[in-house]
Amino acid sequence: MPHLVILYTPQLDRETDMNALCLKLADTMIAQRDESGKAVFPIGGTRVLAYPAAHFAVADGGAAARAQGQGDDCAFAYFNLRMGRGRSDAVKRAAGEALVEVAREHLAPVLQRRPVGLTLQVDEGQEAFDGKFGNLHPLFNTT
């Protein structure tokens, strides 16, 4: 953990490079620092995953957009950053604001062409079970 999961309407695949957005968001997460200058998120634990919805309905199905000449339908992307406990509210807010800014900049051309709803939510929680295993983290433990 941390994991940023993006669920989005599939027409966005035709209008923007979602993989590039994932890479930008991961870089933004890795760049976050807390009040003492320490990395907020471990490199090896940082994940950004994006999934187009196979089925969806957004708002009124695009009727208002068509009536105003703004396209045939509405798009949506939900960004959910999930992290473990222990970070200050200021750090969580700063991480959320930094991710919103990157997503807003990346999606700006799409926002000029069509109606798009965007939501970024930061969640933290105490896991009932947190089993971490694999061999990815040692790649980044250089100290």
Side-chain angles (χ1 to χ4, degrees):
M1 205 156 334
H3 302 156
L4 176 59
V5 177
I6 308 165
L7 181 61
Y8 64 95
T9 53
Q11 70 270 50
L12 292 177
D13 276 328
R14 294 185 303 270
E15 299 185 37
T16 193
D17 184 343
M18 292 301 287
N19 194 57
L21 176 58
C22 289
L23 291 169
K24 290 175 189 177
L25 293 167
D27 287 346
T28 301
M29 291 169 65
I30 291 167
Q32 296 303 297
R33 297 291 178 261
D34 66 13
E35 295 89 348
S36 68
K38 181 181 173 195
V40 172
F41 304 120
I43 296 172
T46 298
R47 317 273 193 274
V48 179
L49 309 166
Y51 301 95
H55 309 282
F56 66 93
V58 177
D60 65 357
R66 284 189 296 278
Q68 295 180 29
Q70 295 181 17
D72 291 330
D73 57 3
C74 299
F76 182 76
Y78 172 67
F79 302 75
N80 180 235
L81 174 59
R82 178 103 172 123
M83 66 177 80
R85 291 182 185 225
R87 295 164 183 92
S88 71
D89 287 345
V91 165
K92 291 180 279 193
R93 187 173 23 268
E97 289 171 353
L99 293 168
V100 163
E101 185 57 33
V102 168
R104 185 188 322 271
E105 182 179 313
H106 181 88
L107 294 167
V110 179
L111 291 166
Q112 290 185 7
R113 290 191 302 268
R114 71 157 55 250
V116 183
L118 301 169
T119 298
L120 187 136
Q121 185 173 7
V122 177
D123 293 328
E124 69 173 353
Q126 183 172 349
E127 298 79 14
F129 174 77
D130 187 23
K132 292 182 171 76
F133 56 99
N135 62 357
L136 183 61
H137 281 277
L139 291 173
F140 304 101
N141 293 337
T142 57
T143 58

